Amino acid sequence: MTGFAPPAVLFAAAELAPLARVGGMAEAASGLVRALRDLGTDVLPVLPDYGTADGPIALSDEVSIELSMPDWAGPTRARRGTPEGVDNEVIFVDAPGLARPHPYVDPTTGMGWPDNDYRFFVFSAAIAELTRLLKPNVLHLNDWHTAAALGFLSADETPSTVLTIHTLGYQGVCSAEWLQRIPHESWRFAWYDVANPLVGAIRSADRIIAVSPNYAREILTEADGMGMHDELARRGDALVGIRNGIDASVWTPVDNPHLAVPYGVKDRESGKAAARAALVKQAGWDDDGSLLITVVSRLVDQKGIDLAMALAPYLASVPARIFVLGSGQANIAELVRETADANPDRIFAVTDRYDEPLAHRLFAGGDVFMMPSRFEPCGLAQMQSMAFGTPAIATPVGGLVDTIIDVDAEPKMGTGFLAQSNDVAGLVDAVHRAARTMRAARTRKAIQKRGMTHDWSWVRPAQHHLDLYAEISN
Ligand code: GLC
């Protein structure tokens, strides 16, 4: 079919940076796609076109086709081409109800769109139809939004399949009526008395990737398995953990356009000092030598920002200060603002926007970075901060455990500070340990250097994906 030549890997996701970005999945998806292409793999992303205020997102060299869809889905088109600001081709799925000002929630209420089940079943059926047309060697699905695709493909039509779990908490649970619309072995998608797209893909995909090795272990436990632990355990070796990478060409202090004084490993002390001084000034503080803790986060419950705010009464005695950049849930933004207002000498917060240049400056200028997540499948910000020579203080969960080596546990290899428990007491202890360690010049320099010289890029994780594709394609 003209313009719709088959790729080796059809890569389906509800988010892909910079076209549709809510959380880390958007960065992870685009980072992996780019790295796979750099390794010579022909990978084609497919995502919904959520549109812009001016209508659909434009594509250059566009080729568009009408997809043959189930009756309930309404007219659905696939447009293939290259969007502005993106270095490769994508396929957009256009269907009634998909285009919205936000992929998942109504921005005026913060509530999920009431027809999300319909919207992502349409997207999933479109992925299945594209799979029939394109016949890729591998169909790579991401999270529940794409998971039902496997119910729309017969065994003969199904290529090798991979499901990546970025967050197990969202499973797309919806009314059991959806089971009647799934043509192939719909029992796989049945979950007690509801339909559950994610469980269907967990039961069917050839491989299931959790976004870090530790998360792959955690989700086998009742405490963190979100009801899926037995299903995942049944899949045995089909479940693997591969940590995400970061875009190492963007998240680096070297030649960084957002820093007044860009720096590398050798001149990091002067570069970081300049970035730190600018942050202290922006917050309106006098530099009293307090440990400067920076936070860059989406404001959602998962990220544990309330735990960071609960540190307020302890900060003066460390002494430490926290500079937060975050946006998201209104109740968390309010908590952060109130805590900052009540502790103006200790906490400063920007909560009304996501400000990428400021994010770079916070990664550079902090003495340490804090990531107090309640759970964290992989986490990207801790790797970004380490790439800037800023070690992280983090809770001992998910990918944070895989990417941060606690310096007190492993003095010769340490890259940061893992709290011993996932709570305020654990964080208070970790902050004290960090303050002590960062005052010791030799240890500080060694930790900074280890973080900066580690390869956080997508190269190795992408190679790992290729090995796994090869395993299931045989
Ligand atoms: C989700 C997870 C985060 C992970 C990202 C990319 O946002 O919460 O831990 O890094 O997906 O996989």
Side-chain angles (χ1 to χ4, degrees):
M1 189 173 312
T2 329
F4 271 66
V9 181
L10 185 64
F11 186 93
E15 298 176 39
L16 187 79
L19 301 168
R21 177 178 3 216
V22 177
M25 182 171 77
E27 308 300 331
S30 62
L32 175 59
V33 166
R34 192 172 313 122
L36 287 170
R37 285 172 174 254
D38 289 348
L39 289 170
T41 310
D42 177 20
V43 43
L44 181 59
V46 47
L47 73 159
D49 177 11
Y50 302 105
T52 67
D54 302 327
I57 300 178
L59 295 172
S60 57
D61 302 323
E62 178 176 311
V63 180
S64 117
I65 55 169
E66 193 76 29
L67 295 179
S68 149
M69 296 284 284
D71 295 342
W72 50 264
T76 303
R77 294 189 76 74
R79 294 189 294 125
R80 179 172 180 167
T82 306
E84 201 180 323
V86 173
D87 50 12
N88 51 260
E89 272 195 315
V90 304
I91 293 184
F92 276 135
V93 172
D94 292 318
L98 266 186
R100 292 279 162 84
H102 185 286
Y104 316 129
V105 301
D106 180 343
T108 59
T109 63
M111 306 285 282
W113 299 110
D115 56 350
N116 275 344
D117 47 0
Y118 169 78
R119 298 172 67 232
F120 290 106
F121 264 87
V122 170
F123 180 46
S124 297
I127 295 165
E129 178 60 10
L130 285 163
T131 304
R132 265 188 291 276
L133 291 171
L134 296 170
K135 300 189 174 48
N137 299 332
V138 176
L139 172 62
H140 190 147
L141 305 172
N142 289 273
D143 277 1
W144 77 268
H145 320 95
T146 59
L150 299 184
F152 291 93
L153 291 166
S154 71
D156 287 349
E157 293 163 343
T158 307
S160 301
T161 53
V162 177
L163 167 72
T164 294
I165 298 176
H166 297 268
T167 301
L168 192 56
Y170 302 112
Q171 299 171 5
V173 166
C174 54
S175 151
E177 282 168 31
W178 280 103
L179 296 175
Q180 289 153 28
R181 305 194 182 114
I182 294 178
H184 301 287
E185 299 186 70
S186 61
W187 62 267
R188 292 175 297 170
F189 295 85
W191 184 243
Y192 297 93
D193 52 359
V194 293
N196 181 325
L198 191 72
V199 82
I202 287 175
R203 288 170 177 162
S204 324
D206 294 317
R207 289 289 184 281
I208 301 156
I209 299 178
V211 290
S212 69
N214 190 45
Y215 191 54
R217 287 187 292 272
E218 284 177 349
I219 57 181
L220 290 172
T221 66
E222 191 171 352
D224 296 314
M226 302 278 181
M228 293 290 118
H229 48 286
D230 287 338
E231 294 290 338
L232 289 161
R234 232 168 260 146
R235 296 305 316 272
D237 292 344
L239 171 65
V240 290
I242 306 180
R243 78 148 172 85
N244 288 325
I246 58 170
D247 186 337
S249 67
V250 172
W251 300 106
T252 170
V254 178
D255 293 331
N256 185 309
H258 307 298
L259 301 180
V261 185
Y263 60 93
V265 179
K266 291 220 173 73
D267 51 357
R268 67 182 179 281
E269 294 267 325
S270 51
K272 285 184 63 60
R276 183 180 186 284
L279 292 176
V280 169
K281 189 166 168 222
Q282 180 174 351
W285 292 323
D286 289 326
D287 191 0
D288 65 353
S290 286
L291 181 79
L292 180 60
I293 303 173
T294 55
V295 175
V296 176
S297 182
R298 270 183 303 139
L299 301 181
V300 291
D301 295 328
Q302 169 194 349
K303 299 293 177 182
I305 302 302
D306 53 314
L307 298 178
M309 293 299 100
L311 297 175
Y314 306 97
L315 293 174
S317 70
V318 179
R321 283 170 164 155
I322 306 182
F323 190 136
V324 184
L325 168 65
S327 53
Q329 263 170 245
N331 59 331
I332 304 178
E334 198 175 309
L335 170 75
V336 172
R337 276 194 304 273
E338 279 171 13
T339 317
D341 287 350
N343 301 273
D345 191 41
R346 293 285 143 203
I347 300 180
F348 182 79
V350 175
T351 57
D352 59 343
R353 60 180 190 276
Y354 176 66
D355 179 334
E356 190 148 324
L358 179 56
H360 284 256
R361 297 201 289 273
L362 287 163
F363 288 132
D367 294 313
V368 287
F369 182 78
M370 183 177 281
M371 199 139 163
S373 306
R374 291 215 153 71
F375 68 92
E376 195 60 78
C378 180
L380 304 174
Q382 81 280 15
M383 295 189 267
Q384 292 163 347
S385 75
M386 285 188 273
F388 280 82
T390 306
I393 298 176
T395 40
V397 295
L400 298 173
V401 173
D402 288 316
T403 49
I404 298 169
I405 302 174
D406 186 87
V407 70
D408 290 315
E410 302 274 356
K412 294 216 159 59
M413 292 180 3
T415 55
F417 309 90
L418 280 177
Q420 272 164 21
S421 53
N422 190 2
D423 53 22
V424 177
L427 285 171
V428 171
D429 172 64
V431 168
H432 278 283
R433 291 195 288 122
R436 201 169 51 234
T437 303
M438 297 309 279
R439 276 194 297 267
R442 273 185 52 198
T443 320
R444 176 182 69 237
K445 288 179 187 174
I447 299 177
Q448 290 174 337
K449 196 168 165 186
R450 282 180 210 128
M452 288 183 87
T453 50
H454 188 89
D455 178 6
W456 299 113
S457 78
W458 268 104
V459 176
R460 275 185 295 169
Q463 187 62 54
H464 200 152
H465 280 80
L466 283 186
D467 295 344
L468 193 136
Y469 292 158
E471 237 171 77
I472 54 176
S473 301
N474 287 333

